[in-house]
Amino acid sequence: MNLELKAEVLEEFSGNRLDRFLKLSFGDEVSRASIQKWIESGFVRNQDDKIQDKSSIKVKAGDRYSVSVPPRPPLNLEPVPMDLPVILDRENYLILHKPAGIASHSGPGDRSPSLVNGLLYHFKELSKAGGESRPGIVHRLDKPTEGLILIAKNDRAHGKLSELFRKREIQKKYYAWVQGHPPEEEGTIDLPIARHPVERLKMTISPKGRRSVTHYKVLKYINSRSGRKFSFLDIGLETGRTHQIRVHFQSQRCPVVGDLLYSRAGAQFESYGLQLLSYFLKFKDPFTGESIEANLPLTERFLRFEKNAPLL
């Protein structure tokens, strides 16, 4: 069954090429190369139900486009060389530093190499409990999100680590730069999240959604010379829903900087990438009972954004 995606051209996107507009509409979960293939293959139609088969078509405000994404092709489980720094290596599991721009596993519309391909290249022991397409994957980080991720080496570890996540016994913290200033210097966002009813690649706040709780503290404010406001946050997750941080802060009118999926201004900061870093994990080793902590320092693109933010 095909996945149907829809997008309407807002005024600020008028004049963009069709492939770039769709990339901005669908965010980092879909590659531009995939979008171009859909266009060339006749999968994109306009509001008049006419096939749009040229990526260079210029869109204008009010145009509406629909994309019928074909069924996923056979799994791409080929080993691919990839830079995956190991932060902690134990007998039953690993903690890795996942780069930004690499999906945790393959998804609809994106056939670019994922973390799974890199894992298969570097590690012989990986759990199979998560399914054939997700060896070693216990939890996921969004494709544009950088940071710490737990990898299970065997099925026993996968089960024990999954149980820790289920019981919320793994502490996760993130750093993020957001646009604007949150309503409070320190607070909690407790709003339910569900799949967006129309834009199927997105999540949204909905009373029909699952309870989602995000705690945050502002560490720094920056006001740029052009009047833009930015805030640097330390974020803790009580729950772990898809796109939780991104959706919650969009709901506060403070989208994460560089978010192409949830921020209309995301493309203005595209060169910095999504400013969201999973920097801290803490849990009890389910085999030894030892307290495990892993930390990441701010990476180059976060430091570069902080340096340039006052000038933006």
Side-chain angles (χ1 to χ4, degrees):
M1 182 177 178
N2 287 11
L3 174 65
E4 298 292 331
L5 303 175
K6 297 182 180 181
E8 181 173 351
V9 182
L10 302 177
E11 187 64 43
E12 57 261 42
F13 297 139
S14 186
N16 274 289
R17 286 168 50 108
L18 177 59
D19 57 348
R20 176 164 172 76
F21 161 69
L22 292 177
K23 171 64 178 172
L24 293 172
S25 297
F26 300 150
D28 289 285
E29 300 301 319
V30 179
S31 69
R32 191 164 177 176
S34 293
I35 289 171
Q36 290 170 340
K37 287 181 181 178
W38 296 344
I39 294 172
E40 293 166 3
S41 301
F43 297 138
V44 179
R45 295 176 179 268
N46 66 7
Q47 65 269 21
D48 299 319
D49 202 33
K50 293 182 178 179
I51 291 175
Q52 307 294 290
D53 58 1
K54 294 188 182 301
S55 295
S56 59
I57 291 172
K58 295 296 177 67
V59 303
K60 62 181 186 298
D63 286 348
R64 298 188 306 278
Y65 295 92
S66 62
V67 184
S68 183
V69 181
R72 186 182 301 179
L75 291 173
N76 173 15
L77 294 177
E78 292 297 318
V80 174
M82 197 175 291
D83 184 20
L84 299 176
V86 176
I87 306 302
L88 184 72
D89 188 351
R90 291 298 168 96
E91 181 181 356
N92 295 289
Y93 59 87
L94 298 155
I95 299 179
L96 302 180
H97 178 179
K98 185 191 86 66
I102 302 293
S104 297
H105 51 78
S106 62
D110 191 353
R111 300 302 297 163
S112 57
S114 71
L115 179 64
V116 164
N117 300 105
L119 292 175
L120 291 170
Y121 181 87
H122 287 288
F123 307 106
K124 294 181 179 179
E125 294 181 287
L126 293 169
S127 69
K128 298 178 176 61
E132 181 188 3
S133 65
R134 304 181 184 187
I137 302 293
V138 180
H139 64 119
R140 66 184 291 275
L141 294 176
D142 296 341
K143 182 176 180 178
T145 301
E146 179 179 0
L148 299 172
I149 188 166
L150 263 169
I151 303 298
K153 292 184 178 182
N154 52 63
D155 289 353
R156 187 163 172 250
H158 192 286
K160 287 182 176 290
L161 293 171
S162 295
E163 183 70 0
L164 292 181
F165 277 108
R166 189 185 70 80
K167 292 182 176 179
R168 300 177 184 173
E169 293 178 354
I170 295 185
Q171 186 179 358
K172 296 179 289 183
K173 290 186 178 182
Y174 293 74
Y175 286 135
W177 279 103
V178 300
Q179 300 174 56
H181 294 170
E184 300 173 340
E185 189 171 328
E186 187 171 354
T188 295
I189 305 171
D190 186 347
L191 294 171
I193 292 175
R195 178 71 58 183
H196 196 289
V198 177
E199 300 177 73
R200 302 303 293 171
L201 293 179
K202 298 174 71 172
M203 308 299 287
T204 189
I205 303 298
S206 169
K208 297 180 180 179
R210 301 171 70 188
R211 185 167 185 248
S212 308
V213 183
T214 302
H215 307 288
Y216 72 89
K217 181 178 182 180
V218 179
L219 301 179
K220 184 179 294 187
Y221 295 109
I222 289 180
N223 294 326
S224 77
R225 64 184 181 184
S226 65
R228 286 192 172 106
K229 296 180 179 180
F230 303 103
S231 304
F232 184 55
L233 311 180
D234 190 359
I235 299 169
L237 295 184
E238 189 171 316
T239 56
R241 312 303 180 206
T242 300
H243 298 177
Q244 179 173 316
I245 292 173
R246 301 163 70 182
V247 172
H248 269 173
F249 283 97
Q250 182 207 36
S251 76
Q252 306 301 300
R253 299 184 178 179
C254 293
V256 178
V257 169
D259 194 337
L260 299 180
L261 192 58
Y262 292 101
S263 172
R264 292 183 181 180
Q268 298 175 23
F269 312 106
E270 195 171 358
S271 63
Y272 300 100
L274 183 74
Q275 291 288 293
L276 184 59
L277 176 71
S278 171
Y279 80 91
F280 179 83
L281 285 176
K282 183 179 180 180
F283 57 95
K284 281 190 176 181
D285 186 306
F287 296 95
T288 68
E290 176 188 2
S291 180
I292 301 295
E293 283 191 22
N295 285 272
L296 276 184
L298 285 173
T299 57
E300 181 275 335
R301 61 195 186 88
F302 288 84
L303 297 173
R304 181 163 50 89
F305 176 80
E306 181 176 356
K307 178 181 178 181
N308 294 337
L311 308 176
L312 296 175

